[in-house]
Amino acid sequence: MTDAPPPSQRSRMRQFFRVALRYWGDRETRWRAWGLTTAVLFFVAAQIASAVGINKWNRLFFDALEKRDVPGVWSATGWLPLLVVATALSVSGLVVCRMLLQTRWRENLTRRVSGWWIADQRYYRLGFLTKKLTAPEYRIAEDVRLSIEPLVELAIGLISAFITAATFAAILWQVAGSAEVTLGTVTVVIPSYMAVAAVLYAVIASLAAYLTGRPLVGLVSRKNEMEAQFRAEMTRLRENAESIALIRGDADELSTAGENYRRVVAAWLRIVRQQGIIALVLNTNGALFPIVPLLLIAPKFLVGSVTLGAVVQVVAAFSAVQAALIWFVDNFVRLAEWFASVTRVDELVEELQGLDIGTIMEADTQIELGESEDEAIHIENLSLAHSNGRVVVADATVAIERGAKVLIAGESGSGKSTLIRALAGLWPWGSGSIRVPAGQSIAFVPQKPYLPRGTLRSILLYPASERPVDDETITGALQRCGLGYLSRRLDEEEDWDRILSGGERQRIAFTRLLIQKPDIIVMDEATSALDEESQEVLLGLFDNELADATLISVGHRPGLEDYHEQKITLERRPAGAHVTSKPIGRSLWRLFRSRRAANEDTAD
């Protein structure tokens, strides 16, 4: 398969809006969305109406000053409080409605993207399928915000600019009138010359801003990528702090962090250089545009064609038209930053939408997951491969009866953990089928159990934290797994993942099994942090409380065979690991355990 060409900027925008604009179409959000949009547009119109009122007030006031008309001055002054109140209310209303629209729209898009990320284990599979897409959590938390909040402000600004330009251009047309330019014996009349001048000036300024600012889009995108990688490295350092500290890896980590931050600085310096060029254009425009209308209207004032009030009104109207028409100039940097975030969000959405099993593999290279016709787990003609096509496990066919205790063994790298991932439905590369009995619950116990934030009770009941379980059941399970001393702390909220040792976390996992009583249990090195005596106690649960559960476990430690009755061995070969299955006799071990239990009872 050949890589497709990267999407164009227009394609990125179209894909982003196809997802983001669902806020106005979803049944649950459309009424709120349209209500907030209507409120924003109302206050935009009110704000522009207030600006027009102030523009006309300027003419009345300065005409009265020019004529030294005291009653006229006082009359104009009397209207000022009303204009101030109207302006304040319209601006305040627009700010509140704008922020509400930003918050609710971001909430909708964040929920949608994070839902895609978390659903169907995409957060897990994403790391296998793409290496170029870094820090998806940063894209959801930060880039979604940066793609929505500026968009609302930019959209409001664009609408305001269009209406303002049209409104104040009409004022220029009416007040400034035409200009006569004499060239020798020919007199040329330029109708509405102030409006024409404002448009020409804005076109020149916008073109200059576009040419100087265009490279900024790629630079900002590169900067955001470097920032995300730096944050990811810092997170990795924090999550592995103990391991790094124990092996004295400080110097190496400091060097790595310094190198990552140098990339951030380099990306920022490129932006600074380009911002300097853009600033030169923007500041030149900022210095010129208040002066240009004065120079254009001055000849008409000097010959008495317009009043002082008309001059003030024309200058204000020209500035308003100019500010509206060079909206692109003033916002080019923000547009570049916004589009960079849109690109990163769209890349994430694109990857997440492509994570469906049917789209990431060709039709003839899928692992078929289904329900078995009996109560056994059937693995048939299963081949597992890496993303580069290298086969790890070849043509495995195994049946695991209900209640069986199965050990998966093999040398390191033979594909044991990959087989576990395939059983969990997390591994997309391969062929064959895995069929599990319908209606049976499955629990997976990894080497390092996940402990979410919250109370100890919620951790023990995870992932069904709201499930009603009485304290006696929880306390009994803790006692059975050697964690009885934690029974008094069920409702304490601590950073348990940091507080508990590796062995205690593995005991927590077994406590969960006692509480939840799943039908099928899949373990991957689940007792690696325990001593042999503790391992014996916990694996003994599968002869007692969990005797009815089907057990599939991966492990290297000696003596594990004594706790299982079937062994699946993965023998590494060039064409992929060969899989064999054979029964294990447990009679001697059961006899030894029963005699030891009898001796203990006699001693008691």
Side-chain angles (χ1 to χ4, degrees):
M1 297 178 62
T2 58
D3 293 335
S8 63
Q9 293 185 3
R10 181 178 299 178
S11 176
R12 286 287 185 205
M13 295 270 286
R14 186 166 55 249
Q15 292 177 29
F16 170 77
F17 280 116
R18 186 161 50 240
V19 175
L21 292 181
R22 292 182 188 177
Y23 177 54
W24 278 264
D26 288 350
R27 183 185 301 272
E28 299 82 6
T29 60
R30 61 188 177 189
W31 291 110
R32 173 184 286 168
W34 285 109
L36 288 173
T37 303
T38 302
V40 166
L41 294 176
F42 170 79
F43 284 113
V44 166
Q47 186 176 358
I48 294 173
S50 300
V52 171
I54 291 176
N55 181 268
K56 291 184 176 180
W57 180 88
N58 279 327
R59 179 170 184 173
L60 291 174
F61 184 77
F62 282 97
D63 279 345
L65 283 181
E66 184 183 26
K67 298 174 182 177
R68 291 175 174 79
D69 180 6
V70 176
V73 170
W74 283 111
S75 176
T77 305
W79 284 99
L80 188 58
L82 180 61
L83 291 172
V84 171
V85 171
T87 301
L89 289 177
S90 61
V91 172
S92 300
L94 180 58
V95 168
V96 171
C97 291
R98 170 181 60 78
M99 294 180 70
L100 284 173
L101 180 58
Q102 288 171 321
T103 301
R104 294 302 186 182
W105 192 5
R106 178 192 174 190
E107 176 189 29
N108 180 265
L109 184 58
T110 300
R111 183 183 294 117
R112 188 180 303 278
V113 177
S114 60
W116 279 334
W117 184 49
I118 296 173
D120 298 326
Q121 295 88 38
R122 289 184 178 90
Y123 56 89
Y124 174 81
R125 290 190 275 132
L126 193 64
F128 291 102
L129 293 170
T130 177
K131 301 300 181 184
K132 66 179 182 179
L133 196 152
T134 57
E137 67 282 359
Y138 176 81
R139 297 184 187 224
I140 294 173
E142 190 67 11
D143 284 310
V144 167
R145 180 183 69 82
L146 293 175
S147 66
I148 293 299
E149 291 184 357
L151 176 58
V152 174
E153 295 173 7
L154 292 169
I156 291 173
L158 184 59
I159 294 171
S160 299
F162 178 79
I163 299 175
T164 299
T167 302
F168 284 94
I171 294 174
L172 286 177
W173 191 293
Q174 178 183 3
V175 177
S178 303
E180 294 183 356
V181 179
T182 302
L183 301 173
T185 59
V186 179
T187 300
V188 179
V189 177
I190 304 176
S192 189
Y193 76 104
M194 291 294 288
V196 173
V199 172
L200 289 176
Y201 184 91
V203 169
I204 295 172
S206 297
L207 183 61
Y210 174 75
L211 294 176
T212 57
R214 185 178 181 182
L216 196 62
V217 175
L219 296 178
V220 171
S221 180
R222 175 68 176 170
K223 180 265 296 182
N224 288 347
E225 183 69 19
M226 294 299 100
E227 292 273 17
Q229 289 185 13
F230 181 67
R231 286 186 177 90
E233 284 299 312
M234 294 297 98
T235 301
R236 181 192 60 80
L237 175 62
R238 175 177 56 80
E239 291 176 347
N240 296 277
E242 182 177 359
S243 298
I244 295 170
L246 288 173
I247 62 176
R248 301 295 191 270
D250 309 50
D252 186 68
E253 292 299 326
L254 182 60
S255 175
T256 302
E259 180 61 30
N260 286 326
Y261 191 67
R262 277 192 289 275
R263 296 194 191 103
V264 174
V265 172
W268 267 109
L269 289 178
R270 286 189 285 270
I271 290 177
V272 168
R273 285 193 292 270
Q274 196 64 35
Q275 286 274 32
I277 299 173
I278 297 172
L280 181 63
V281 174
L282 297 181
N283 291 329
T284 300
N285 172 68
L288 281 178
F289 90 80
I291 301 173
V292 171
L294 284 173
L295 296 177
L296 292 175
I297 197 65
K300 300 193 74 170
F301 176 73
L302 293 175
V303 299
S305 298
V306 294
T307 63
L308 177 61
V311 171
V312 174
Q313 186 180 20
V314 165
V315 171
F318 184 95
S319 298
V321 173
Q322 159 69 12
L325 293 178
I326 64 168
W327 174 89
F328 179 78
V329 177
D330 292 337
N331 291 278
F332 191 87
V333 174
R334 295 193 68 199
L335 282 167
E337 293 175 342
W338 168 74
F339 184 74
S341 293
V342 165
T343 299
R344 287 171 56 78
V345 172
D346 185 65
E347 286 175 350
L348 176 59
V349 170
E350 188 176 58
E351 293 291 342
L352 293 175
Q353 289 178 330
L355 278 180
D356 295 328
I357 295 296
T359 60
I360 59 178
M361 297 296 297
E362 297 180 1
D364 59 347
T365 57
Q366 292 183 33
I367 299 174
E368 181 184 353
L369 303 175
E371 297 178 355
S372 62
E373 297 178 355
D374 52 20
E375 294 188 338
I377 299 173
H378 293 278
I379 300 173
E380 298 177 353
N381 301 319
L382 180 66
S383 293
L384 303 176
H386 285 162
S387 58
N388 58 10
R390 185 177 70 85
V391 177
V392 182
V393 176
D395 298 323
T397 298
V398 176
I400 302 174
E401 299 297 330
R402 181 170 185 175
K405 307 298 184 283
V406 180
L407 175 65
I408 300 178
E411 61 181 305
S412 180
S414 59
K416 300 185 299 299
S417 295
T418 305
L419 179 58
I420 294 296
R421 294 184 183 117
L423 286 170
L426 298 177
W427 196 258
W429 297 285
S431 60
S433 65
I434 299 175
R435 303 190 184 279
V436 179
Q440 292 199 6
S441 58
I442 305 178
F444 291 87
V445 185
Q447 183 176 7
K448 184 180 179 181
Y450 171 64
L451 305 185
R453 291 186 179 275
T455 63
L456 182 59
R457 183 190 303 275
S458 66
I459 289 173
L460 293 171
L461 299 180
Y462 184 84
S465 300
E466 302 301 323
R467 175 187 172 191
V469 178
D470 59 83
D471 287 0
E472 184 178 353
T473 299
I474 298 175
T475 301
L478 285 171
Q479 192 71 38
R480 184 70 174 84
C481 294
L483 295 174
Y485 54 89
L486 293 177
S487 300
R488 300 184 303 275
R489 308 181 66 182
L490 287 179
D491 295 311
E492 292 185 18
E493 188 166 343
E494 299 282 357
D495 188 0
W496 294 105
D497 189 58
R498 181 182 59 83
I499 293 174
L500 299 179
S501 66
E504 287 174 318
R505 286 198 296 265
Q506 292 188 342
R507 291 175 184 271
I508 288 287
F510 278 88
T511 305
R512 285 174 176 167
L513 296 178
L514 282 181
I515 295 173
Q516 298 170 7
K517 296 290 180 64
D519 299 304
I520 301 172
I521 299 171
V522 182
M523 302 195 307
D524 188 2
E525 302 283 359
T527 60
S528 59
L530 299 171
D531 58 75
E532 291 188 7
E533 183 177 352
S534 299
Q535 176 181 268
E536 177 185 334
V537 171
L538 293 180
L539 292 182
L541 297 173
F542 294 102
D543 283 332
N544 298 286
E545 292 92 331
L546 299 175
D548 294 333
T550 303
L551 172 63
I552 304 172
S553 63
V554 171
H556 293 92
R557 297 180 66 173
L560 282 177
E561 291 186 3
D562 296 330
Y563 304 93
H564 301 80
E565 55 198 29
Q566 182 180 352
K567 183 177 182 180
I568 297 175
T569 304
L570 277 67
E571 181 183 349
R572 185 192 291 182
R573 295 182 181 178
H578 176 69
V579 178
T580 58
S581 176
K582 66 176 183 179
I584 304 174
R586 301 181 67 197
S587 56
L588 292 178
W589 170 250
R590 290 181 184 275
L591 178 62
F592 170 75
R593 291 197 60 192
S594 61
R595 285 181 176 178
R596 188 177 66 175
N599 291 336
E600 291 175 351
D601 291 340
T602 302
D604 291 342

